[in-house]
Amino acid sequence: MAKVYNGTGRRKESVAKVTMTPGKGKITVNGKDVREFFPYETNVMDLKQPLVATSTDEKFDITVTVKGGGFNGQAGAIRLGIARALLEYDALNEGSENSFRKVLKAAGFITRDARIKERKKPGLKGARRAPQFSKR
C-alpha cells in the first residue's frame, strides 16, 4: 500500500486538511479539480509554491478538504498544509544539506501567517474606524 502523508494548514478563517500520496501531480480540492475550485490562477500558483520549491510537483497526488474563509485564505491554508506534508515525507532527510526543511524554511512556507481580522471595538464603526466628527 502507498504511504500517505498528512498536513493541516490554517490561514485567517480557513482550515485545510491535506493528504498526499505518491502519484502524478493531480490536486483535488473538496472533490473538484484545483483549477475548477479556485477562480484565479494566482491562487493555484500560490498553493503549488512548496511543491515547485522542492521539485516535487509531478511526484504526488494531493487531496484537500478545506473549510471557512475566502479563496486567498483557503489557498494560503492549503499551501501550509502541503508544506507540512512535505516535511513529514522528508522526515528522514532532516539534518542533511538538501533537506526540504531548509528549502521551505528559507522560502517562508513553514511559518503560519498569524494575521487575522481585528475585532470591532465599542463606539467605533469597525476595528479602528471612528464615526464622522461634526464640529457643529
Side-chain angles (χ1 to χ4, degrees):
M1 187 175 149
K3 183 81 173 95
V4 176
Y5 306 98
N6 297 309
T8 304
R10 292 180 192 86
R11 168 91 171 88
K12 293 187 177 185
E13 291 291 313
S14 303
V15 179
K17 297 197 183 339
V18 176
T19 307
M20 213 166 65
T21 52
K24 298 200 170 34
K26 189 175 188 310
I27 301 175
T28 311
V29 181
N30 291 355
K32 293 182 182 176
D33 183 63
V34 70
R35 294 184 194 289
E36 204 178 299
F37 185 82
F38 285 108
Y40 308 112
E41 189 60 33
T42 51
N43 294 134
V44 178
M45 286 166 40
D46 188 35
L47 69 88
K48 282 186 173 183
Q49 283 177 328
L51 297 168
V52 174
T54 55
S55 305
T56 53
D57 39 345
E58 301 293 316
K59 209 171 177 181
F60 296 104
D61 285 342
I62 297 171
T63 309
V64 182
T65 306
V66 67
K67 289 180 188 166
F71 294 121
N72 290 325
Q74 287 181 345
I78 294 169
R79 181 172 82 171
L80 180 60
I82 290 172
R84 286 181 173 171
L86 283 169
L87 289 179
E88 190 181 312
Y89 163 74
D90 197 49
L92 300 173
N93 231 357
E94 192 88 11
S96 75
E97 192 62 39
N98 55 354
S99 71
F100 283 179
R101 183 166 193 86
K102 283 188 177 171
V103 175
L104 294 171
K105 183 87 173 156
F109 299 142
I110 298 174
T111 311
R112 196 268 201 219
D113 192 343
R115 295 176 296 171
I116 56 169
K117 187 172 180 174
E118 192 176 337
R119 77 174 199 87
K120 184 191 174 301
K121 315 301 188 304
L124 301 179
K125 290 187 173 292
R128 298 182 184 205
R129 168 81 171 97
Q132 189 172 20
F133 175 74
S134 172
K135 202 167 199 173
R136 282 172 195 88

